[in-house]
Amino acid sequence: MFGFLKKESGGVTAPATGKCIRIEEVPDAVFSQKMMGDGFAVIPSGDTVAAPVSGEIVMVAQTKHAFGMKTKSGIELLVHIGLDTVELNGEGFTVLAKPGSRVKAGEAVIRFDKAFMEGKGLNMTTMVIFTGGYDREIKISQFGQDVTAGEVVLPE
C-alpha cells in the first residue's frame, strides 16, 4: 500500500490519520497510567485503523474494538480503538483483516462508522500499547502534531 514501508523493519507507524498524543494524555486511567503497557495514541480524523507494524494479526476482539499483533522480531502490541467502545458489542465496526492474516504496516485492519460513533458521543482516540518484546523509551517527535496512517512515528 505504501511503497516506503515495504521493509520489514521500518519502525512503528501511526495506526490512524489524526493528532498523535502521549499515552499519558489519554482520558482513561487504564491507558494513561500504563496499566496495560506503554505506548502512544492518535486522535483519528478519519474512520480507518491500520496495522502499526508489519506482522500477524493474532487477535481481533469479539467486540471488534481492538486487535493484537506480533512481529517476526517478537514485538507484541494491542491496538485499542476508542474509549468505552467495548460496550457497543461490535456495532459500528467492520473488520478488514482476520486473525492469522499477515499485514504490512499501514494496511487497514478495522474501519469504524465515524458518524455513528460521534452520534454516541464516543471518544475515538486509538491507542497502540506494547504488551511484549518492546522495552525502549517511547520517543516520538510528532507528539502534538498531525500524522498519517502508515507514517513511521517510532523508527527502529
Side-chain angles (χ1 to χ4, degrees), residues 13-77:
T13 68
T17 297
K19 183 180 176 186
C20 187
I21 64 170
R22 297 178 191 284
I23 198 73
E24 295 88 351
E25 296 176 55
V26 174
D28 183 317
V30 170
F31 300 106
S32 65
Q33 294 179 15
K34 304 178 185 180
M35 293 179 196
M36 298 178 74
D38 203 356
F40 65 97
V42 174
I43 302 168
S45 57
D47 65 355
T48 304
V49 179
V53 292
S54 293
E56 181 182 356
I57 303 289
V58 294
M59 176 279 298
V60 175
Q62 186 174 350
T63 50
K64 304 177 187 174
H65 75 290
F67 62 94
M69 292 190 67
K70 186 171 185 175
T71 68
K72 282 184 182 175
S73 64
I75 295 172
E76 296 176 10
L77 55 82

Side-chain angles (χ1 to χ4, degrees), residues 3-155:
F4 64 91
L5 293 174
K6 294 231 188 266
K7 293 189 312 184
E8 184 72 29
S9 62
V12 180
T13 68
T17 297
K19 183 180 176 186
C20 187
I21 64 170
R22 297 178 191 284
I23 198 73
E24 295 88 351
E25 296 176 55
V26 174
D28 183 317
V30 170
F31 300 106
S32 65
Q33 294 179 15
K34 304 178 185 180
M35 293 179 196
M36 298 178 74
D38 203 356
F40 65 97
V42 174
I43 302 168
S45 57
D47 65 355
T48 304
V49 179
V53 292
S54 293
E56 181 182 356
I57 303 289
V58 294
M59 176 279 298
V60 175
Q62 186 174 350
T63 50
K64 304 177 187 174
H65 75 290
F67 62 94
M69 292 190 67
K70 186 171 185 175
T71 68
K72 282 184 182 175
S73 64
I75 295 172
E76 296 176 10
L77 55 82
L78 174 73
V79 178
H80 191 284
I81 306 163
L83 305 177
D84 302 321
T85 49
V86 66
E87 296 169 13
L88 296 173
N89 290 315
E91 189 178 3
F93 290 98
T94 303
V95 176
L96 306 172
K98 306 275 188 237
S101 302
R102 291 205 59 77
V103 295
K104 299 244 183 251
E107 189 174 329
V109 176
I110 293 179
R111 186 166 290 122
F112 60 87
D113 184 332
K114 193 168 175 16
F116 175 78
M117 300 303 175
E118 287 171 354
K120 294 274 188 189
L122 293 170
N123 179 330
M124 294 308 291
T125 297
T126 298
M127 288 66 63
V128 175
I129 308 298
F130 295 99
T131 56
Y134 191 90
D135 56 2
R136 288 174 273 171
E137 186 179 347
I138 307 296
K139 289 184 179 180
I140 297 178
S141 63
Q142 297 99 318
F143 281 138
Q145 299 175 24
D146 287 337
V147 293
T148 303
E151 175 183 342
V152 174
V153 293
L154 273 174

